[in-house]
């Protein structure tokens, strides 16, 4: 270590590393992890020691599915509020979805607009997905070259008119183009024909909403998507998997060598259809939260590696758009600040350790996005951390959340796991609910 200026040592009896959890001292220099050494290692002269005792030191979480909506729908959310909520929740990197902002991230010019808006507001490192629309195949390669992490498309209506879905032929065209330059397509997979033929009943009953977004819609869309990826040798990622019926076909595709990865979300893994009260549209999202038995199968999919990662799909709106009618209310669940405790609470109940949670919420999303400096506590990575008191509990009070509209499906829940502090490149950016000034950087693919 001679010649390296170690300014900070973070110590805990429980540091979650890729080789397991152990007592360790993490040496930080120039915002990066210089070394992970035994707990008793002498603190280098001139370095500051932070000892977290038995609180757990985790790599900062990486959330690759966040709708920030800025600029354009900033009354729903914005980079200032979203990145503060993320920092308070132990997240140190987020990737913004290309829709719901105006403009959407579908051309290089639009990407530049988004970056300029985000730059002064980002409390954590922030990157961007591009969007694949029916008419922007010509823009995909330049967006890729400009640093987006991949391209999102819908196969059924997105909910906003400026972001239309792709039909199967358009999907094939975009996918072929993206495969040509080695990019990644991330897909909201619900089949429009199955949705159109499902019973559509408005009102306050959750069961009616659930029936309007059947599992078949997801299963068929994923089956078609896998077939296209196989044919074109394209790399695809299935967003927010809810239907556990699709797990066998995904597992088979992976075994066969199709380049497919899958995410699910805290709400599918911790909330159930059976518990949604009538009219409680803070629980509405698409695809929907399904039954408890479906949730058990999703956890089995996580355990056996069919599902790669867990990300928030934080998709907020203003309170007035959450009308009690499930058919017309805006779909989207706000959970950015709560994903870690929500998942940890359920994971521990099901016999999983924090190593699993770190794999699903930090290492795997970092790998999905090609963020080689994120996602693990090991030498050479950015010094991004979350400090967690895993056995402590708290009750979710929406007034304590930092996202713009304090609506959440988790209100009143008692969760395990209190995030004590969050660190970005060796600087403490959040501690006990107090946020520092923004120091997040804008990230580009392979940078
Ligand atoms: Zn989403």
């Amino acid at each position: 270590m001679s010649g390296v200026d170690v300014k900070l040592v973070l110590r805990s009896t429980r540091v979650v590393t890729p080789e397991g959890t152990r007592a360790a001292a993490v040496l930080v220099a120039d915002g990066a992890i210089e070394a992970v050494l035994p707990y008793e290692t002498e603190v280098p002269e001139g370095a500051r020691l932070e000892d977290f005792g038995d609180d757990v030191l985790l790599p900062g979480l990486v959330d690759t599915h966040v709708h920030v909506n800025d600029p354009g729908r900033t009354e729903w959310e914005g980079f200032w509020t979203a990145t503060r909520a993320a920092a308070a929740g132990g997240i140190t990197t987020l990737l913004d979805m290309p829709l719901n902002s105006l403009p959407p991230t579908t051309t290089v010019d639009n990407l530049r607009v988004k970056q300029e808006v985000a730059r002064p507001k980002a409390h954590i490192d922030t990157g961007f997905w591009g969007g694949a629309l029916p008419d922007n195949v010509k823009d995909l390669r330049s967006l890729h070259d400009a640093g987006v992490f991949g391209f999102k498309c819908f196969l059924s209506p997105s909910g906003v008119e400026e972001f239309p879905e792709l039909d199967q032929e358009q999907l094939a065209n975009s996918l072929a183009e993206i495969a040509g330059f080695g990019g990644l397509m991330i897909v909201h997979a619900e089949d429009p024909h199955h949705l159109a033929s499902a019973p559509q009943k408005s009102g306050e009953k959750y069961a009616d909403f659930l029936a309007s977004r059947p599992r078949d819609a997801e299963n068929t869309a994923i089956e078609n998507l896998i077939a296209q990826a196989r044919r074109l040798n394209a790399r695809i990622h299935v967003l927010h998997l809810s239907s556990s019926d699709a797990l066998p076909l995904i597992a088979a595709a992976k075994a066969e060598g199709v380049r497919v990865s899958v995410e699910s979300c805290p709400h599918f893994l911790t909330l159930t259809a059976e518990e949604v009260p009538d009219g409680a549209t803070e629980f509405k999202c698409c695809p929907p939260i399904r039954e408890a038995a479906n949730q058990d199968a999703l956890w089995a999919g996580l355990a056996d590696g069919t599902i790669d990662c867990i990300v928030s799909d934080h998709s907020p709106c203003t309170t007035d758009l959450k009308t009690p009618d499930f058919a017309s209310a805006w779909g989207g669940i706000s959970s950015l600040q709560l994903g870690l405790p929500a998942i940890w609470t359920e994971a521990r109940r099901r016999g999983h350790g924090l190593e699993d949670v770190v794999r699903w919420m930090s290492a795997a999303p970092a790998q999905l996005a090609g963020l080689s400096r994120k996602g693990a506590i090991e030498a050479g990575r950015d010094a991004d951390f979350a400090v967690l008191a895993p056995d402590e509990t708290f009750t979710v009070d929406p007034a304590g959340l930092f996202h713009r509209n304090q609506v959440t499906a988790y209100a009143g829940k008692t969760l395990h796991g209190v995030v004590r502090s969050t660190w970005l490149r060796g600087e403490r950016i959040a501690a006990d609910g107090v946020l520092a000034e923004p120091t997040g950087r804008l990230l580009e693919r392979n940078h």
Side-chain angles (χ1 to χ4, degrees):
M1 283 181 299
S2 60
V4 175
D5 199 7
V6 173
K7 285 273 168 46
L8 177 68
V9 176
L10 303 179
R11 204 156 71 176
S12 158
T13 61
R14 294 186 282 179
V15 178
V16 179
T17 76
E19 294 80 39
T21 301
R22 63 177 193 269
V26 180
L27 277 58
V28 175
D30 292 333
I33 298 170
E34 176 64 24
V36 183
L37 300 175
Y39 183 87
E40 304 76 19
T41 303
E42 201 175 321
V43 176
E45 201 175 328
R48 180 164 62 96
L49 172 67
E50 291 275 349
D51 194 323
F52 303 118
D54 292 335
D55 286 346
V56 183
L57 189 65
L58 313 173
L61 303 191
V62 177
D63 191 341
T64 52
H65 194 149
V66 182
H67 296 266
V68 182
N69 309 335
D70 194 4
R73 288 191 177 92
T74 47
E75 69 278 17
W76 292 12
E77 190 61 285
F79 285 104
W80 183 268
T81 43
T83 59
R84 281 166 64 87
I91 298 164
T92 49
T93 304
L94 74 75
L95 297 191
D96 175 52
M97 279 293 162
L99 73 156
N100 298 348
S101 61
L102 297 168
T105 318
T106 48
T107 66
V108 172
D109 286 349
N110 292 358
L111 172 67
R112 297 302 177 218
V113 169
K114 300 259 308 176
Q115 287 172 324
E116 287 315 305
V117 168
R119 198 181 309 277
K121 301 178 185 172
H123 289 72
I124 65 170
D125 285 1
T126 300
F128 298 87
W129 295 108
L133 303 183
D135 65 356
N136 82 333
V137 177
K138 63 185 185 316
D139 295 298
L140 300 178
R141 183 182 282 266
S142 54
L143 271 166
H144 177 77
D145 292 341
V148 300
F149 287 82
F151 300 90
K152 179 177 193 180
C153 73
F154 281 75
L155 304 176
S156 52
S158 72
V160 291
E161 63 181 21
E162 70 276 6
F163 205 97
E165 74 274 23
L166 305 183
D167 64 25
Q168 286 297 314
E169 193 184 333
Q170 291 160 340
L171 172 67
N173 290 341
S174 297
L175 211 45
E177 172 74 6
I178 292 167
F181 54 72
L184 167 65
M185 180 77 109
I186 63 174
V187 183
H188 180 123
E190 285 184 290
D191 180 77
H193 310 293
H194 282 75
L195 294 180
S197 58
Q200 303 296 327
K201 220 165 140 189
S202 60
E204 299 190 6
K205 288 225 170 327
Y206 187 74
D208 290 338
F209 171 63
L210 185 56
S212 76
R213 315 288 303 203
R215 296 181 191 213
D216 275 0
E218 280 190 86
N219 306 339
T220 300
I222 292 168
E223 194 174 2
N224 290 338
L225 183 63
I226 287 171
Q228 298 257 36
R230 179 191 292 115
R231 188 172 63 81
L232 296 164
N233 192 25
R235 187 174 161 228
I236 56 166
H237 176 73
V238 176
L239 297 164
H240 46 50
L241 180 73
S242 174
S243 168
S244 62
D245 294 350
L247 289 168
L249 63 103
I250 294 166
K254 284 185 165 189
E256 184 197 326
V258 177
R259 296 191 294 159
V260 56
S261 54
V262 184
E263 68 183 36
S264 193
C265 307
H267 38 277
F268 300 135
L269 296 161
T270 70
L271 306 173
T272 61
E274 290 88 339
E275 71 183 293
V276 180
D278 286 351
T281 55
E282 63 270 30
F283 289 83
K284 177 183 174 179
C285 61
C286 298
I289 295 166
R290 302 187 191 278
E291 306 80 353
N294 182 74
Q295 183 178 98
D296 290 342
L298 290 178
W299 277 96
L302 278 166
D304 71 18
T306 306
I307 299 174
D308 301 273
C309 31
I310 304 173
V311 292
S312 70
D313 194 10
H314 177 76
S315 187
C317 64
T318 48
T319 315
D320 59 304
L321 297 180
K322 287 291 193 185
T323 58
D325 173 15
F326 273 102
S328 61
W330 175 258
I333 291 184
S334 299
S335 64
L336 201 45
Q337 197 172 330
L338 299 170
L340 175 56
I343 286 296
W344 170 233
T345 300
E346 190 65 20
R348 71 201 295 275
R349 193 177 76 77
R350 292 174 181 267
H352 292 287
L354 275 169
E355 297 84 359
D356 295 325
V357 174
V358 163
R359 190 171 74 250
W360 298 325
M361 302 187 81
S362 184
Q367 190 180 12
L368 168 72
L371 290 162
S372 57
R373 297 187 61 84
K374 307 293 188 185
I377 298 180
E378 63 183 4
R381 306 260 183 165
D382 285 348
D384 297 352
F385 310 101
V387 178
L388 185 76
D391 300 320
E392 226 165 88
T393 60
F394 68 103
T395 300
V396 177
D397 174 3
L401 301 176
F402 289 97
H403 66 266
R404 177 149 298 162
N405 295 281
Q406 294 167 323
V407 176
T408 178
Y410 297 90
K413 292 236 176 237
T414 296
L415 301 177
H416 273 89
V418 171
V419 177
R420 297 255 196 247
S421 62
T422 306
W423 299 69
L424 180 67
R425 275 182 259 96
E427 300 289 335
R428 186 171 10 217
I429 58 168
D432 299 321
V434 178
L435 281 297
E437 288 303 304
T439 56
R441 292 184 189 168
L442 300 191
L443 303 178
E444 294 178 354
R445 182 182 40 81
N446 292 339
H447 285 264

